[in-house]
Amino acid sequence: MGLWDNFKKNILSQNDNNDELVQIISLAEQGDANAQNNLGIMYATGKGVRKNYSEAWKWYSLAIKNKHPHAADNREKLAKTMTRAQGVEVDNNMKKWVQSTFEENKPVLETRIKEIIEQHIETLRSKHEQTVYKDDYGNAFYDKWDKEIDYFIEKVILVDHQIDNLLWDSRNPIFYKLCVTAIKNIIG
């Protein structure tokens, strides 16, 4: 279910035609931190929408990612108002949302990772030649190359603006595996 569908489902009936709400959700989906923070407030308080702590947490988190100055404080206040059970529910819902978002963005992430690798192909090939070595028995050692891959992912791929916009959790092991697989497939 998309963000818009989820929002419509949670709008109270008296707000079905409210242009301001439609505008806020549209801006929030486009990455507007103010709109995201406002949606977090709306869901946390139940003003204009049904109260939903998971939705509030999600929108505050997106606003934080987009550097809204008050979203972190708002999310912290929300955390203090939730019961332990509500916190567990929010945590479970966020995990599902993060994974779902990753799966939706995976094809675009894969394409962008390959583009970044192609932009740095000569440097990567040079690093590969410098770091992979064989001993006298023909055994290949990749430990330094593996460190180069980690460095490339951290310092080049993860700082890419498009990747940052598409990726919610850079510690996602599937994302890391996507990067490593793409590098090894292109470089060898």
Side-chain angles (χ1 to χ4, degrees), residues 13-24:
S13 60
Q14 69 262 26
N15 290 321
D16 284 343
N17 294 316
N18 190 322
D19 290 339
E20 186 177 347
L21 288 174
V22 172
Q23 185 177 13
I24 290 170

Side-chain angles (χ1 to χ4, degrees), residues 14-180:
Q14 69 262 26
N15 290 321
D16 284 343
N17 294 316
N18 190 322
D19 290 339
E20 186 177 347
L21 288 174
V22 172
Q23 185 177 13
I24 290 170
I25 191 68
S26 177
L27 290 170
E29 283 185 328
Q30 294 172 38
D32 183 285
N34 287 324
Q36 292 166 339
N37 186 63
N38 288 338
L39 276 177
I41 292 168
M42 292 168 72
Y43 278 112
T45 61
K47 293 196 174 153
V49 295
R50 288 192 182 99
K51 188 182 280 191
N52 184 322
Y53 289 153
S54 294
E55 286 294 311
W57 192 274
K58 176 178 71 181
W59 287 110
Y60 284 146
S61 298
L62 287 166
I64 291 167
K65 184 174 182 182
N66 288 317
K67 301 183 182 10
H68 189 279
H70 305 295
D73 291 337
N74 291 338
R75 190 173 73 178
E76 186 177 327
K77 289 175 193 170
L78 176 64
K80 290 177 181 178
T81 64
M82 292 188 295
T83 65
R84 183 178 298 235
Q86 289 168 328
V88 169
E89 181 182 354
V90 166
D91 188 51
N92 289 336
N93 288 336
M94 282 301 294
K95 286 176 184 172
K96 290 176 191 172
W97 178 75
V98 167
Q99 187 60 36
S100 171
T101 302
F102 176 78
E103 291 300 326
E104 288 173 19
N105 292 335
K106 190 175 173 182
V108 180
L109 281 166
E110 288 175 316
T111 299
R112 183 61 189 146
I113 290 165
K114 289 175 185 172
E115 291 170 356
I116 293 169
I117 293 167
E118 291 294 338
Q119 291 170 0
H120 298 276
I121 192 81
E122 293 306 318
T123 301
L124 284 167
R125 283 192 175 131
S126 173
K127 291 290 186 180
H128 183 263
E129 289 173 14
Q130 294 169 14
T131 58
V132 175
Y133 61 95
K134 290 186 178 185
D135 65 11
D136 294 336
Y137 302 103
N139 298 314
F141 293 90
Y142 296 93
D143 52 326
K144 290 181 181 178
W145 173 236
D146 290 341
K147 288 179 183 174
E148 282 295 330
I149 290 174
D150 291 344
Y151 182 85
F152 183 75
I153 292 169
E154 181 183 343
K155 301 295 184 185
V156 180
I157 293 176
L158 286 175
V159 299
D160 180 77
H161 183 67
Q162 290 177 9
I163 295 286
D164 185 52
N165 286 339
L166 293 167
L167 186 64
W168 182 253
D169 182 7
S170 63
R171 298 166 300 173
N172 183 325
I174 299 170
F175 173 74
Y176 179 80
K177 187 175 179 178
L178 280 177
C179 293
V180 171

